[in-house]
Amino acid sequence: MEVWYGAEQVPASLSAPGGVGAVVTMGIFDGVHRGHQAVLGRVVELADELARGGERPLAVAVTFDPHPRSVHRPEVDLPLITSLTDRLASLNDLGLDAVLVITYTLDFAAQSPQDFVRTWLEGLLGARAVVVGDDVRFGCRNSGDAATLEEIGRADGFAVEIVSKIRSEEGRRWSSTWIRQCLKDGNMGQARQVLGRPHRLRGVVVRGLRRGRELGFPTANLEAATAGVVPPDGVYAGWLVRGGGADGGGQRLPAAISIGTNPTFDDVPRRTVEAHVLGRADLNLYGEEIGIELVERLRPMLAFDGLDPLLVQMRADIEDTARILEVPVPEPIRPEDVTAQ
C-alpha cells in the first residue's frame, strides 16, 4: 500500500485524461473499527468490480492528521484510539492500494463541501466512485452530508455509494465513542469486538526504575501519558509488538502488562505502561518505538504487604497470561540471568 503525505505525492497520472482513477472513501478512521472496515472493504470490492470493464481503479482512503477536534478545540484532551502508524497499518490490512494523509488545518477546514470534493477527490484522485457511511460529514462546519455528496456526484458524473446499517448484532452502531467507553471501563473483550482486533498502545521505551530486572521480571516501560487511550490501572495479558509500520508486520511477543503507579512502592510518580515479555531476559528496547496490544484485563492494581506476596502474584499473572494467549508457560527468570540493559 502506498501512503501519500500531501497532494504533491499523489501521482499526476491518477487523475490525468485516460488515467485509472480511484474508488475513494474519506474519514478520520480513528480505531479503524468494524464500521470503518465495512466501508473500506466495500471500496476494495467496488474497485475490483469496476476493473471488469477495463483497467482497475485504485482503492484509496483519504484521512486527516492531526485529528480535526484537536485543531478546532485544542484545549480539549483527546488521545487517539489509534496512532497514525497503527491506523495506516490497519488500512493496509484491508487491501487498500493507497492512503492520502491530508494535514488538517483551519484553512483546510474552511473549504465548502463542493470545493473539497472537486479539488481533492475529483481533481487530485480522479474519483470514479466515492463510498461513505451514512453518517458522513465533510466541508466547512461539517455542512456536507451523504445527500450533499450524492448531489455533487450526479452533477459531476461520478458514482456515490452509501453504506448504511453498519451495526452490531445487538443493533448498536460501531463507533469510536463506543470504543472509548469500553476502554474507560477496562472492558478489553468488548473493545476487541468493536475494533475487530486488540486495542493497541504505542510509544517509545524509556528508562524506568529497573526494579523489574532485579526481581526477574524485566519490563519495557512507556509513559502512559503519551501512549494513547490507556485503560484503567491493572494487569493485562497482551502482546508487545516490535517493528512494523504503515505496511503492518512486526514481531509480536506475548507479554504481561502492568498499567499504573505500582502502589506496592511509593516511588513511581507517574502512570506507566510496563510490558514483561514472557520468558525473555535479553531484550534491549530502550529508545525503540513499540506497540502494546491489550487482550484481557487480569486484575486491578493492588498494593501488597511486602515483596514475597508481590512475587507470588506476579508469577500467577505470568501463568494467567500464557493461558489466555495460548502460549507455553515460561520458566521463572532468575535476576542474575537478566542481560537486558
Side-chain angles (χ1 to χ4, degrees):
M1 183 186 77
E2 295 186 56
V3 180
W4 303 319
Y5 295 94
E8 66 280 1
Q9 294 188 5
V10 178
S13 58
L14 192 61
S15 58
V20 297
V23 177
V24 183
T25 190
M26 55 185 171
I28 306 301
F29 305 121
D30 188 19
V32 195
H33 56 64
R34 292 176 66 176
H36 298 143
Q37 291 166 30
V39 173
L40 293 157
R42 181 55 190 152
V43 170
V44 176
E45 289 177 358
L46 186 53
D48 292 338
E49 291 172 10
L50 292 176
R52 296 170 188 168
E55 195 170 4
R56 181 184 182 277
L58 299 186
V60 179
V62 176
T63 192
F64 309 94
D65 185 63
H67 194 291
R69 188 177 299 180
S70 69
V71 174
H72 292 287
R73 301 183 63 189
E75 75 281 1
V76 177
D77 182 30
L78 183 73
L80 292 176
I81 296 170
T82 308
S83 68
L84 181 59
T85 297
D86 291 319
R87 194 191 327 169
L88 292 172
S90 295
L91 294 173
N92 176 73
D93 291 343
L94 295 171
L96 292 168
D97 298 301
V99 174
L100 170 61
V101 181
I102 296 176
T103 301
Y104 193 91
T105 65
L106 291 175
D107 286 343
F108 175 84
Q111 296 176 98
S112 70
Q114 292 77 11
D115 285 344
F116 167 71
V117 171
R118 288 172 176 147
T119 299
W120 294 89
L121 306 191
E122 296 184 64
L124 183 65
L125 298 174
R128 292 169 56 181
V130 179
V131 180
V132 292
D134 56 11
D135 59 346
V136 67
R137 307 294 298 195
F138 61 99
C140 183
R141 300 183 184 277
N142 277 337
S143 56
D145 58 13
T148 307
L149 186 61
E150 289 178 318
E151 181 181 346
I152 300 171
R154 285 192 297 270
D156 294 7
F158 63 84
V160 174
E161 186 167 321
I162 309 298
V163 181
S164 59
K165 298 182 180 179
I166 309 173
R167 300 179 182 274
S168 69
E169 293 180 358
E170 296 79 19
R172 184 170 181 177
R173 177 182 291 276
W174 306 113
S175 70
S176 299
T177 300
W178 189 0
I179 298 168
R180 290 178 186 279
Q181 186 60 54
C182 293
L183 298 178
K184 180 180 179 180
D185 296 340
N187 189 341
M188 307 315 298
Q190 184 70 75
R192 187 168 66 252
Q193 180 185 358
V194 183
L195 286 165
R197 64 185 183 283
H199 175 55
R200 180 180 290 189
L201 306 175
R202 178 169 291 277
V204 175
V205 178
V206 298
R207 290 191 178 275
L209 297 176
R210 300 167 65 86
R211 182 177 289 118
R213 58 178 288 119
E214 298 171 359
L215 301 177
F217 296 91
T219 61
N221 304 315
L222 308 182
E223 293 287 354
T226 64
V229 179
V230 181
D233 290 2
V235 177
Y236 296 78
W239 303 89
L240 184 150
V241 184
R242 302 183 70 184
D247 291 331
Q251 179 186 25
R252 298 173 76 247
L253 303 169
I257 300 145
S258 172
I259 296 175
T261 59
N262 200 335
T264 300
F265 305 94
D266 296 324
D267 53 1
V268 184
R270 296 182 302 275
R271 290 183 83 210
T272 60
V273 178
E274 301 184 42
H276 168 70
V277 176
L278 272 57
R280 296 293 296 270
D282 60 336
L283 294 173
N284 293 304
L285 300 173
Y286 291 125
E288 185 174 326
E289 184 179 82
I290 63 171
I292 299 292
E293 293 182 349
L294 302 170
V295 174
E296 185 174 319
R297 190 174 190 229
L298 302 180
R299 61 175 176 85
M301 188 64 70
L302 304 171
F304 291 90
D305 186 19
L307 195 56
D308 288 342
L310 171 63
L311 291 173
V312 170
Q313 182 60 61
M314 291 173 71
R315 182 59 191 173
D317 295 337
I318 296 297
E319 294 174 356
D320 288 342
T321 296
R323 173 182 53 79
I324 290 167
L325 301 181
E326 298 182 336
V327 299
V329 176
E331 293 296 323
I333 297 172
R334 299 183 303 171
E336 59 268 27
D337 292 335
V338 177
T339 59
Q341 299 300 311

